Amino acid sequence: MRFLLIEDNRELALATRDRLTLDGHVVDHAADLATAQDYARTMSYDLVLLDIMLPDGDGRDFLAYLRDIRSDTPVIAVTARSEVSDKVGILDLGADDYISKPFDFAELEARCRAVLRRRAGTSSNTQRIGDVAFNRLGGTLTIENRIIELRNRELRLFELLADNPNVIFSKPKLVDRLFSFDEDVSENAIEVYVGRLRKHLAASNVSISTIRGLGYRLDIG
């Protein structure tokens, strides 16, 4: 998954980015509203972590901007304010959740998972896809009672395909979703991860099809 982290505290931003990167996510960091808006105009994100107090304005303005352009990207607001009215106002503006500073990283990760589950239309960490049981939290596929552990990139690629059935993803699009701006990778890397997933799925009724000239799609049956 590709996250946009909007946070002006550099130390907190780096720590948050490093923690989420360990989970296999790609994290772009913006330290102010102007940079965040530039990123949002050029990149598609699975989740936004939005600090409310920013050096060039109020994070709620960015949230309003997202909803004004009819973006349904999930947003978790990060706020130092503890008043109920502030939290209610953030949620009413269109935030999907909020977390108060200072926060524990385990709680942040759990809230991210919960928001992403809701977006995918499931309340459980385990999703049934054909005859495959996909455990997002554990990062595993279970096929014919055999548990297959996915590496981070494999997990995020399968997660992306599983959340968007019948959608064709081009190689450039997959590179954008799986790698950060500062990672120098070629589209051949996508072929490698697709190949690994195909081997994992060989004994199931789930497959990744190559749509010639367009990209890849997850198929069932």
Side-chain angles (χ1 to χ4, degrees):
M1 296 291 183
R2 192 173 193 125
F3 292 179
L4 175 58
L5 170 64
I6 307 171
E7 171 61 61
D8 66 317
N9 182 310
R10 179 172 174 78
E11 184 177 348
L12 177 59
L14 291 177
T16 303
R17 186 189 65 184
D18 290 347
R19 182 65 177 255
L20 294 173
T21 300
L22 284 175
D23 289 337
H25 300 295
V26 175
V27 182
D28 294 330
H29 171 228
D32 52 53
L33 286 179
T35 305
Q37 289 179 350
D38 286 342
Y39 279 151
R41 281 191 288 265
T42 58
M43 185 61 61
S44 176
Y45 290 99
D46 298 290
L47 181 68
V48 174
L49 296 172
L50 174 62
D51 186 21
I52 297 303
M53 303 297 292
L54 293 164
D56 58 343
D58 193 312
R60 286 171 293 195
D61 294 335
F62 180 82
L63 176 57
Y65 162 78
L66 280 184
R67 299 315 181 219
D68 283 346
I69 64 173
R70 300 188 181 280
S71 170
D72 61 355
T73 302
V75 174
I76 297 178
V78 182
T79 176
R81 299 173 177 175
S82 58
E83 291 81 359
V84 172
S85 59
D86 287 325
K87 296 173 182 177
V88 170
I90 291 167
L91 294 173
D92 283 343
L93 269 177
D96 297 82
D97 200 355
Y98 66 84
I99 188 168
S100 299
K101 294 181 179 180
F103 55 79
D104 185 271
F105 283 120
E107 180 185 358
L108 177 65
E109 290 169 322
R111 289 184 180 275
C112 290
R113 289 193 298 268
V115 167
L116 292 171
R117 283 199 306 269
R118 290 198 296 271
R119 186 191 189 203
T122 179
S123 59
S124 170
N125 283 314
T126 300
Q127 179 181 359
R128 198 77 194 180
I129 304 166
D131 59 3
V132 176
F134 173 39
N135 187 309
R136 296 167 184 267
L137 181 57
T140 63
L141 304 176
T142 301
I143 302 171
E144 297 180 344
N145 296 319
R146 182 169 62 95
I147 298 176
I148 301 167
E149 294 186 0
L150 300 179
R151 298 177 182 177
N152 276 340
R153 300 288 191 195
E154 297 168 0
L155 169 61
R156 298 311 168 195
L157 174 57
F158 188 79
E159 192 172 44
L160 179 61
L161 294 172
D163 285 346
N164 298 275
N166 302 316
V167 174
I168 300 172
F169 287 91
S170 67
K171 288 181 183 178
K173 185 69 172 179
L174 290 174
V175 168
D176 284 344
R177 300 295 288 273
L178 295 175
F179 298 94
S180 63
F181 289 122
D182 57 358
E183 290 181 282
D184 184 18
V185 297
S186 71
E187 295 177 6
N188 291 336
I190 299 300
E191 295 180 10
V192 172
Y193 292 117
V194 168
R196 290 176 183 174
L197 283 178
R198 282 174 168 161
K199 289 181 180 179
H200 295 325
L201 297 167
S204 75
N205 67 350
V206 178
S207 61
I208 300 175
S209 298
T210 299
I211 311 302
R212 187 174 298 276
L214 296 176
Y216 299 105
R217 181 185 65 205
L218 192 73
D219 290 328
I220 302 174

